[in-house]
Amino acid sequence: MDAARFTRAVVCRPSSTFAAGITKAQLGPPDLTVAETQHERYCAALQHAGLRLTRIPAAEEFPDGCFVEDVAVVTRAGAIYTHPGAPVRRGEVGYVRGWLETLVPTLATIEPPGTLDGGDVCDAEDRTFIGLTARTNEAGAAQLARILEPLGQHMTIVDLRPVPGLLHLKSGFAFLGDGRFACAPAIATLPEIAGLPLVTVEPDEAYAANAVRVNDVLLIASGHPLLEARLRGLGYDVVALAMSEFRKLDGGLSCLSLRF
Ligand code: CIR
């Protein structure tokens, strides 16, 4: 199977204040001990897929700090640091940057009034999808497009603001490699998405559309048997991971690492 290869990932374990993270999920408070175990298994799965991990220490001033994906977009040319849409998360950028800039060159930063969360950016080889959401605005998306287009990326902006229930583009959309995308049913008919080779997830399993392809492995959230069987049938080496505590904070597999 063919997909972009990664060699490294940056992760940050949940902090002692994790339960105070932002959420609209209404799934109850997360359990820190369970979250730590789930995070460890996630890290082990990344390592098993061939990635060398840089583990950023948890910082208690950042309850959402484990969702490192939102603070940077890492390309082959370097890192673009974001200006997250949630003001309380903006301090995370400098914190992660202090670690990430020892690993990859800095390419750019998203500047206000632009806002952008990394969870709204889906990289699919020479194509990049950017979601407009409550977190990523048009100015932020336009800045990122201006940075990536000269690198040869074809940009597609997807307006998700009318779609209820999706925090980020990648909450319901993932590049699986091999030209395929996983997609939540709520966005499968959007014009920018409908023509793609889609694996549309059943409504009851919509959360599992946030899959992550890492080299030869495809990570999905456990507890989604229909999607798991379908992906195995397509030939993917699926690894299912428990994500319950991160889901309670509107997070999932992709948000927990920066992969490059
Ligand atoms: C937030 O609302 O910002 C966090 N509780 C969850 C962020 C999840 N990140 C992602 O989907 N990329």
Side-chain angles (χ1 to χ4, degrees):
M1 290 194 292
D2 176 36
R5 310 292 296 180
F6 301 119
T7 57
R8 304 195 72 125
V10 168
V11 294
C12 180
R13 57 183 291 164
S15 83
S16 58
T17 56
F18 176 65
I22 310 168
T23 186
K24 291 192 173 155
Q26 297 187 309
L27 293 172
D31 180 309
L32 178 60
T33 307
V34 178
E36 285 171 337
T37 302
Q38 292 180 346
H39 195 264
E40 265 316 306
R41 290 188 180 142
Y42 176 83
C43 290
L46 294 182
Q47 288 175 309
H48 188 67
L51 304 191
R52 186 167 159 206
L53 299 191
T54 296
R55 296 170 184 262
I56 300 177
E60 62 181 36
E61 63 268 43
F62 304 130
D64 283 305
C66 59
F67 302 117
V68 285
E69 172 180 73
D70 292 321
V71 304
V73 175
V74 185
T75 73
R76 61 189 178 282
I80 298 136
Y81 294 96
T82 69
H83 187 63
V88 295
R89 296 200 58 195
R90 290 180 186 156
E92 294 172 36
V93 179
Y95 182 65
V96 174
R97 182 173 180 159
W99 293 80
L100 192 55
E101 65 190 1
T102 68
L103 302 172
V104 291
T106 297
L107 194 58
T109 56
I110 302 297
E111 303 292 345
T115 63
L116 184 101
D117 280 14
D120 281 317
V121 182
C122 181
D123 181 33
E125 294 169 348
D126 64 351
R127 194 161 176 191
T128 302
F129 295 80
I130 309 176
L132 298 179
T133 61
R135 298 292 178 87
T136 294
N137 66 15
E138 279 154 338
Q143 285 180 43
L144 184 65
R146 278 197 300 274
I147 296 160
L148 296 183
E149 268 164 352
L151 302 176
Q153 290 300 108
H154 302 281
M155 308 302 303
T156 302
I157 296 193
V158 188
D159 189 356
L160 298 171
R161 292 170 297 189
V163 181
L166 277 190
L167 176 63
H168 289 125
L169 171 63
K170 278 189 288 190
S171 307
F173 187 65
F175 181 56
L176 302 177
D178 314 296
R180 272 192 211 101
F181 296 81
C183 180
I187 62 172
T189 55
L190 294 179
E192 300 84 358
I193 289 176
L196 299 168
L198 294 178
V199 175
T200 304
V201 178
E202 295 297 320
D204 286 355
E205 296 194 353
Y207 175 75
N210 177 244
V212 177
R213 176 73 185 265
V214 184
N215 300 336
D216 295 331
V217 172
L218 183 62
L219 307 180
I220 69 164
S222 62
H224 303 92
L226 298 177
L227 180 65
E228 185 171 341
R230 199 156 154 216
L231 293 171
R232 287 194 195 282
L234 288 167
Y236 290 98
D237 181 2
V238 176
V239 173
L241 293 169
M243 280 287 120
S244 63
E245 304 317 293
F246 301 102
R247 185 176 185 176
K248 290 174 183 171
L249 294 188
D250 292 327
L253 287 163
S254 72
C255 352
L256 292 179
S257 60
L258 286 160
R259 303 160 296 278
F260 48 95

